[in-house]
């Protein structure tokens, strides 16, 4: 087998192939684990009446975000954005728990749900990023180019990570298995 022009035993090639995705799989696990409290404590405040049910520190976190970044979506909560948050609560939040378990335990059954999730979220992030990149301001204040860039930077991982998830899962019919790693050209 060859790896970067050097002849190596197949076991080394398999290990290198498996290690190639270890970072991404860990990133996905952390992403899903972090997304659970973010959805429950921050994003959920876009839902009518939900903020009043949260502990006092959660509305303060959102207020800090609004005062610091003047986020037009969380400040003004347009109906289309609230509908995305409803989808986040109904479909994505349960998925975060399942995906956290699946990535922690390396369960291949997560492959198709992960592709669906990643495609859905990547698609919804396009209008969100478009608004953030072009908004002039909100009820939280005016936005200049620097502030818009910061907001896009805050939201951009929610496009990039799901898109990487689709790439990772669509490219491997048996994620997490040694057999999948062995299907990569090693001879």
């Amino acid at each position: 087998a060859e790896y970067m022009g050097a002849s190596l035993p197949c076991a080394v090639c398999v290990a290198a192939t498996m290690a190639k995705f270890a970072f991404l799989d860990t990133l996905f696990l952390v992403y899903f684990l972090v997304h659970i409290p973010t959805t429950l404590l921050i994003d959920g405040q876009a839902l009518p009446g939900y903020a009043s049910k949260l502990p006092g520190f959660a509305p303060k976190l959102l207020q800090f975000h609004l005062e610091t970044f003047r986020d037009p979506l969380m400040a003004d909560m347009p109906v289309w954005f609230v509908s995305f948050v409803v989808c986040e609560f109904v479909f994505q939040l349960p998925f975060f728990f399942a995906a956290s378990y699946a990535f922690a335990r390396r369960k291949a059954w997560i492959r198709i749900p992960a592709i669906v999730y990643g495609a859905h979220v990547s698609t919804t992030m396009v209008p969100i990023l478009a608004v953030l990149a072009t908004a002039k301001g909100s009820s939280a204040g005016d936005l200049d180019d620097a502030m818009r860039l910061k907001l896009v930077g805050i939201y951009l991982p929610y496009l990039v990570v799901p898109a990487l998830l689709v790439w990772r899962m669509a490219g491997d019919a048996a994620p997490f298995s040694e057999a999948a790693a062995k299907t990569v050209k090693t001879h």
Side-chain angles (χ1 to χ4, degrees):
E2 278 196 24
Y3 181 74
M4 296 180 67
S7 190
L8 299 172
C10 283
V12 173
C13 294
V14 169
T17 302
M18 290 175 67
K20 180 169 73 171
F21 293 119
F23 172 77
L24 281 179
D25 293 343
T26 302
L27 173 69
F28 299 143
L29 174 60
V30 170
Y31 171 88
F32 293 127
L33 289 171
V34 168
H35 218 301
I36 293 168
T38 302
T39 297
L40 291 170
L41 298 173
I42 304 297
D43 299 353
Q45 293 186 58
L47 302 175
Y50 183 78
S52 65
K53 296 171 177 50
L54 293 173
F57 72 89
K60 290 177 183 172
L61 285 173
L62 178 58
Q63 191 59 39
F64 171 80
H65 173 74
L66 294 175
E67 290 170 1
T68 305
F69 301 105
R70 300 186 289 264
D71 183 335
L73 297 173
M74 290 302 290
D76 298 336
M77 299 186 192
V79 172
W80 67 267
F81 178 72
V82 173
S83 72
F84 284 5
V85 175
V86 169
C87 288
E88 183 177 354
F89 256 71
V90 173
F91 300 112
Q92 295 178 34
L93 185 58
F95 175 78
F96 298 150
F97 287 96
S100 296
Y101 172 80
F103 275 87
R105 301 285 188 200
R106 302 180 53 78
K107 301 292 185 182
W109 53 256
I110 198 62
R111 181 176 175 266
I112 298 301
I115 292 168
V116 171
Y117 165 81
H120 164 71
V121 172
S122 296
T123 303
T124 62
M125 287 307 301
V126 171
I128 288 171
L129 290 169
V131 166
L132 296 174
T134 60
K136 301 294 183 214
S138 69
S139 60
D142 293 336
L143 291 171
D144 59 14
D145 289 342
M147 191 61 67
R148 280 191 292 278
L149 187 59
K150 287 178 187 176
L151 280 168
V152 167
I154 291 168
Y155 280 78
L156 191 60
Y158 298 102
L159 168 66
V160 173
V161 173
L164 285 172
L165 180 65
V166 170
W167 174 79
R168 164 76 172 102
M169 293 290 130
D172 192 346
F176 312 123
S177 72
E178 281 189 43
K182 290 178 183 175
T183 63
V184 174
K185 298 256 187 226
T186 57
H187 297 280

